[in-house]
Amino acid sequence: LALADFIHNNEVRDIKFNIVGKMSHGIHQKIQSMKLLPYFKHIPTVPHSEINQYQKNAEVLLLLIPQVDHANSIIPGKIFEYLATGNTILNLGPVRGDAGRIIHECKMGETYKWDDFDAIKFFIIQNYLRYKEGKLKSEVTEIVNKYNRQEQARRLYDELFRD
């Protein structure tokens, strides 16, 4: 809703969204009902070797944590791929959840509750303006590097085989 409100009330025409992978019919219908189809491109299947390129080419990445009882402790593997791109992440899920904590720690984006319309809209506006100024890309820092796959594997190995 925040996205539709921003686009329609500001007559934004230079914004595009890629949905890569499976998309439910319900999501398609929601996009259509909000008159956002011209802004979305659905790429149904992409070899995993090409997914990272879509992520790197993005300006902002959307991470959705499911609305379930244990949502606070969900850390999807995709978060590590997203962090590696250096792109800003919009995480919708528990603000004090583990995924939100990692994104905040790395200074790579923001986390909002799924239904926090005003905060999500503000994030969209703020990052759209940063995009227009050419200031949207972030840098992959040492903090982010501690979450790369090699470092995670090393830390797991150390925990499992510590003397």
Side-chain angles (χ1 to χ4, degrees):
L1 292 174
L3 179 61
D5 185 77
F6 170 67
I7 287 174
H8 297 312
N9 289 326
N10 295 289
E11 298 184 17
V12 174
R13 300 288 176 253
D14 62 342
I15 195 166
K16 297 289 180 195
F17 301 91
N18 287 331
I19 297 177
V20 180
K22 294 180 183 177
M23 179 173 68
S24 74
H25 182 67
I27 296 292
H28 184 269
Q29 285 182 313
K30 188 75 166 174
I31 292 168
Q32 187 173 20
S33 73
M34 292 189 291
K35 298 182 172 81
L36 294 175
L37 276 179
Y39 303 96
F40 279 84
K41 179 179 180 183
H42 179 218
I43 301 109
T45 56
V46 173
H48 193 268
S49 60
E50 294 176 23
I51 292 289
N52 288 0
Q53 198 56 50
Y54 279 98
Q55 293 169 348
K56 288 177 186 175
N57 291 342
E59 301 293 338
V60 174
L61 296 161
L62 176 62
L63 185 64
L64 299 171
I65 304 298
Q67 294 185 43
V68 294
D69 289 339
H70 63 284
N72 279 339
S73 61
I74 294 175
I75 303 174
K78 188 169 293 307
I79 194 172
F80 303 111
E81 295 173 6
Y82 281 12
L83 289 171
T85 68
N87 294 332
T88 300
I89 301 168
L90 170 58
N91 179 35
L92 301 182
V95 175
R96 296 196 190 336
D98 290 339
R101 178 187 51 77
I102 291 169
I103 291 167
H104 178 77
E105 176 187 354
C106 294
K107 297 176 177 56
M108 295 298 296
E110 298 293 335
T111 299
Y112 302 107
K113 289 183 190 176
W114 301 273
D115 60 354
D116 193 343
F117 176 86
D118 292 331
I120 295 166
K121 183 177 175 186
F122 180 75
F123 176 90
I124 292 167
I125 293 168
Q126 181 182 33
N127 283 283
Y128 179 74
L129 294 173
R130 287 177 60 213
Y131 162 74
K132 295 298 275 183
E133 295 171 357
K135 298 179 180 177
L136 193 55
K137 294 289 183 185
S138 301
E139 292 295 319
V140 176
T141 64
E142 284 303 311
I143 294 170
V144 172
N145 285 334
K146 83 177 194 178
Y147 291 105
N148 71 32
R149 291 189 188 277
Q150 293 83 4
E151 180 61 18
Q152 292 293 308
R154 186 195 63 73
R155 289 172 60 192
L156 179 60
Y157 179 86
D158 288 350
E159 286 294 317
L160 292 173
F161 300 106
R162 182 179 7 193
D163 290 339

